[in-house]
Amino acid sequence: GAALSAPRKKKPKTLASAKAALVKARSRAAADAARLPVQLPEFGIVETCTAPVVDALQDENDDDQSHAGKARRASATILKCDAAAAAASAALALLRETAKEARREGDRLRTNLRDVEGALDVWRARERDAPNRAAKLAEEEREWSRREEAANAAALALIRTLVPPDIKGDTVEGLRHRAARVVAQAAAQAKRRKREAEGDTTEEPPVSDKKALAIAAAWGGCYTYALAERLKNARPLHWVQAHPDDVATQNFLAGAGADSFRNLGDYDVVELRAIYAACPELCGNQPVR
């Protein structure tokens, strides 16, 4: 509707200008409909309704400048105006009827939505107040824990290889250097065994932090800054190295880092399995030692 009202701001002086303004309005309406998140066939109603008007405004290819030619063009123009007016009137009536139907359908959908929401509230209340709900949920969790015990233990073992026991007192850069030195030491031991097999007993000089990072990067064992920062700030992951008694007595929803416990959607399934496996029985789970 807003797009179709645009040509009225400046009255067209000729049939050609009227046609150009209408085509422009149709394009604007089509662009507006294309930006909507949902596409329905009904969104093409503007183009469908205005197509007869555009067809009625076809240009005349008549260059006859005689009185008869001018009269013929004037007569054709009048006929075109009449045809365009009739088409526009029909299009406007169709648009109005479509708008009314859309409003009726919207009212019906809103009424249905209220009915559905009311029914859902009733069933939520019934589920919440069911006398055996707590026992049923506990039994489902125990069954899931038994069924997924192997996968949870594997996830715990994997995350423990990434998180050192004293991560709480370390820094992000400290984590990167420690991980790099583990890889650099493994590489140095492999080289030393190779040299000893060849009879070479020369000792390698100590490796600097910078060189250790380069070795770790080459061997594929380097902690990126983003990984080290995540391991440091994702406090639930620290539980994989904590004693069950410490986990059970932690007030983890208070103080710095509490948001990392509230936003569990930020963790992938392996991390969540590891956190679950590290929780003590006091928290509803048998810990994996």
Side-chain angles (χ1 to χ4, degrees), residues 7-23:
R8 299 177 185 174
K9 295 179 180 178
K10 184 178 181 181
K11 294 182 179 180
K13 296 182 179 179
T14 64
L15 291 180
S17 61
K19 179 181 177 181
L22 185 57
V23 170

Side-chain angles (χ1 to χ4, degrees), residues 22 54 58 60 82 113 166 199 208 215 244 253 257 263:
L22 185 57
V54 175
Q58 295 297 328
E60 285 287 337
D82 290 342
L113 180 60
D166 55 347
S208 65
I215 294 173
L253 292 180
N263 302 325

Side-chain angles (χ1 to χ4, degrees), residues 20-265:
L22 185 57
V23 170
K24 185 177 180 180
R26 292 175 67 193
S27 300
R28 189 182 300 112
D32 291 341
R35 285 192 291 269
L36 296 174
V38 178
Q39 298 297 316
L40 296 175
E42 291 80 0
F43 292 169
I45 186 67
V46 173
E47 185 172 359
T48 302
C49 292
T50 55
V53 183
V54 175
D55 293 340
L57 295 174
Q58 295 297 328
D59 296 330
E60 285 287 337
N61 296 319
D62 188 353
D63 296 330
D64 187 357
Q65 298 300 318
S66 66
H67 291 294
K70 293 179 180 179
R72 186 170 55 252
R73 284 195 298 274
S75 178
T77 299
I78 293 173
L79 292 176
K80 287 183 191 178
C81 290
D82 290 342
S89 178
L92 185 58
L94 180 58
L95 285 173
R96 286 172 176 169
E97 183 59 33
T98 303
K100 290 179 181 179
E101 180 61 29
R103 283 193 291 269
R104 287 193 292 267
E105 182 66 15
D107 293 339
R108 186 184 66 80
L109 289 175
R110 281 188 287 271
T111 300
N112 290 345
L113 180 60
R114 285 193 294 269
D115 294 341
V116 170
E117 288 177 343
L120 286 175
D121 290 340
V122 171
W123 283 105
R124 288 193 191 102
R126 290 177 179 175
E127 180 186 23
R128 183 181 61 251
D129 300 334
N132 60 338
R133 180 173 183 270
K136 181 64 176 177
L137 291 178
E139 177 56 31
E140 288 179 357
E141 183 174 354
R142 286 192 295 269
E143 175 59 28
W144 180 90
S145 183
R146 288 192 295 267
R147 186 175 66 252
E148 303 293 332
E149 183 177 2
N152 294 341
L156 179 61
L158 175 62
I159 299 300
R160 276 177 173 171
T161 64
L162 299 174
V163 180
D166 55 347
I167 187 173
K168 186 175 181 180
D170 211 338
T171 62
V172 173
E173 284 297 335
L175 288 174
R176 296 190 68 213
H177 291 308
R178 288 176 59 179
R181 286 206 166 275
V182 170
V183 178
Q185 289 173 2
Q189 291 174 1
K191 290 181 179 179
R192 184 168 57 252
R193 287 193 296 267
K194 183 178 180 180
R195 288 198 307 270
E196 290 174 351
E198 296 172 350
D200 186 358
T201 58
T202 304
E203 290 291 333
E204 287 284 339
V207 177
S208 65
D209 288 341
K210 184 176 181 180
K211 187 174 181 180
L213 287 172
I215 294 173
W219 280 54
C222 180
Y223 275 23
T224 63
Y225 187 89
L227 173 59
E229 185 178 37
R230 175 169 176 76
L231 294 176
K232 175 64 179 177
N233 296 332
R235 287 179 55 194
L237 295 180
H238 301 181
W239 284 4
V240 302
Q241 294 289 8
H243 191 278
D245 293 343
D246 295 334
V247 175
T249 57
Q250 272 195 17
N251 185 13
F252 51 85
L253 292 180
D259 287 342
S260 62
F261 289 92
R262 297 190 181 98
N263 302 325
L264 295 180

